[in-house]
Amino acid sequence: MNYQARRRLGCCVYLVFDKDEWMLIDIGYEDTVSEIVDMIRQMDFPLSSCRYLVATHADVDHIQGLKRAKELLSSAKTVGHPETKRLLLSGDRVRTYAEISAQDISIDLPTIKLDRTIDEGDRLPIGGLEVEVWHTPGHTHGQLAFRLGDLLFCGDNIYRDGCVGNIDAHHGSDIPAFIKSLERIRDSSVVWLLPSHGPIFRKDNAQLQRTIDRLKTYLHMADFGTCAVDWPLLDEWDQELARGFDPAKS
Ligand SMILES: [Zn+2]
């Protein structure tokens, strides 16, 4: 949607339709909701035929506009993972990145009660289509992806340049889970990836493997703090201390 508007508005907003029904995957920031809804109206989609407003996860750049969108598209059901529901209901400003105090980032997070939770294996019917829900934790626990034929709306799992959604302990990131989610995408028969940021791209397993291998190194790096599972340097140091430290041999 936002590419139709010729610029990026927060995150990618995807409209999926079939016959007389449609849904939106993410909505982005609140101040661009009315522009997006206007554009949908101009394309002759009846607003009353919107079936779902989907939150891929609870990050503020994806869902800040959800409450406003629900006001304009009242027939639509707001849906997301149970974790997303919890964060949006409680208005958790840290886990949603509404508040990054060290960087003076503080933006509004309208609280909203999702109409329905969705999780692995659920299907969202749209016209004659069924959009399949994948639970793909890693970036955050509530991250969902959505499969439609050979397309995967992959959220913040992977971008065209091989980067992934931010890995951050305060965000509930989990590197082992992230690796599993990426392996699932790699091993799937999906052909096209439609990410939440940046352009759509063809799935490239060699590139996905490089990303997976990179994340595997993070598991053992102090750079990733409590998201890492160990730090081999400390084991090495233990062994060196047990052997005795000889400056002459260092
Ligand atoms: Zn994002």
Side-chain angles (χ1 to χ4, degrees), residues 59-77:
D59 284 3
V60 68
D61 53 330
H62 295 245
I63 54 73
Q64 192 200 37
L66 201 53
K67 188 174 186 185
R68 178 77 188 121
K70 171 74 183 183
E71 286 164 8
L72 297 174
L73 302 162
S74 53
S75 62
K77 292 240 177 309

Side-chain angles (χ1 to χ4, degrees), residues 10-11 26 56-57 59 61-62 139 143 155-156 159 165-166 196-197:
C11 68
D26 283 334
T56 59
H57 59 303
D59 284 3
D61 53 330
H62 295 245
H139 170 54
Q143 176 78 61
D156 282 351
Y159 310 120
N166 192 9
S196 286
H197 303 281

